[in-house]
Amino acid sequence: DQQVKQNSPSLSVQEGRISILNCDYTNSMFDYFLWYKKYPAEGPTFLISISSIKDKNEDGRFTVFLNKSAKHLSLHIVPSQPGDSAVYFCAARKETSYDKVIFGPGTSLSVIP
Amino acid sequence: NAGVTQTPKFRILKIGQSMTLQCTQDMNHNYMYWYRQDPGMGLKLIYYSVGAGITDKGEVPNGYNVSRSTTEDFPLRLELAAPSQTSVYFCATRPGGPYEQYFGPGTRLTVT
């Protein structure tokens, strides 16, 4: 039973437009959420996170939105660039439990020049 | 500063063979992790270690063993390889405190 779901395996976006990657979770114990980015033949790298006490966190072109009541979060990339083409993993954990991170299956983003 | 290194990058094993996946870090991080990623699935935690001499099971430990004799190294041992262990294996590290994990480049293992 997947506790973190990313229902879109892939997404294509034109360069300069907004990319929106979605993630749903089922475990209400999760109170900290992360996004990782992965290029081919590399390991995932941490991108951005959000605590459940917030509903938005922004870092440059990347913004994560959290809707706790819907158990849903999304990552917005504006504007999208070809270098953003990668697999994006949504992940969740309890805020104090750094070792027990649950990952979603990932969404492959292609940004078309 | 190499970060997290994993060897080998690729390996093909026959059913029943054994092997050790190596993970080495030069960041002096206390925490180390082993994950596997199957196609279409998220990363699943196999084992982790909070420091030299201390290891603990993750979500999917069956068929694997680990040891942590030094801060730098966290090898993952597969005994009696099975096709179900075909996967990409990632090692990760984390310093103490409120920091996220740093991942190595992965080892792609095929068991036939």
Side-chain angles (χ1 to χ4, degrees):
Chain A
D1 181 33
Q2 283 192 338
Q3 298 184 67
V4 178
K5 302 177 185 181
Q6 295 177 257
N7 293 322
S8 297
S10 62
L11 176 67
S12 277
V13 172
Q14 287 290 129
E15 180 179 3
R17 305 294 291 269
I18 184 171
S19 295
I20 300 176
L21 293 89
N22 293 304
C23 176
D24 298 289
Y25 61 96
T26 58
N27 190 337
S28 56
M29 298 294 286
F30 293 144
D31 56 7
Y32 200 81
F33 305 90
L34 312 95
W35 286 92
Y36 279 82
K37 177 179 181 178
K38 183 186 176 307
Y39 291 119
E42 295 184 11
T45 55
F46 170 70
L47 184 59
I48 191 170
S49 62
I50 187 167
S51 167
S52 62
I53 62 173
K54 295 184 175 182
D55 54 18
K56 176 183 173 180
N57 189 27
E58 197 169 349
D59 183 1
R61 295 186 298 112
F62 301 90
T63 303
V64 57
F65 295 92
L66 175 63
N67 182 334
K68 282 178 292 187
S69 61
K71 294 192 178 68
H72 176 84
L73 61 153
S74 60
L75 175 68
H76 292 211
I77 307 173
V78 185
S80 302
Q81 299 174 353
D84 296 329
S85 296
V87 176
Y88 290 80
F89 292 101
C90 175
R93 60 175 170 80
K94 292 186 69 174
E95 185 147 10
T96 55
S97 182
Y98 295 94
D99 302 318
K100 303 288 179 64
V101 181
I102 305 298
F103 287 84
T107 295
S108 179
L109 173 66
S110 295
V111 180
I112 303 161
Chain B
N1 191 342
V4 183
T5 57
Q6 292 184 238
T7 56
K9 284 187 170 48
F10 305 92
R11 182 74 186 266
I12 299 174
L13 275 184
K14 293 191 186 305
I15 295 171
Q17 287 184 321
S18 61
M19 77 164 292
T20 299
L21 282 68
Q22 301 290 348
C23 176
T24 300
Q25 54 112 348
D26 62 359
M27 298 179 285
N28 202 33
H29 289 174
N30 285 329
Y31 298 81
M32 295 188 75
Y33 309 83
W34 274 107
Y35 290 89
R36 60 177 287 172
Q37 187 195 5
D38 300 328
M41 305 290 286
L43 283 74
K44 292 191 183 299
L45 183 65
I46 305 171
Y47 271 96
Y48 68 103
S49 169
V50 301
I54 306 169
T55 62
D56 207 348
K57 294 179 181 179
E59 190 180 353
V60 289
N62 292 344
Y64 307 94
N65 280 299
V66 293
S67 60
R68 183 95 182 272
S69 56
T70 66
T71 299
E72 293 77 20
D73 299 301
F74 190 39
L76 178 71
R77 179 84 177 161
L78 279 73
E79 306 281 2
L80 297 174
S84 61
Q85 293 178 305
T86 293
S87 192
V88 180
Y89 291 83
F90 291 101
C91 177
T93 73
R94 188 176 68 81
Y99 299 100
E100 306 306 331
Q101 298 176 22
Y102 295 80
F103 284 82
T107 293
R108 183 175 293 275
L109 175 68
T110 302
V111 182
T112 62

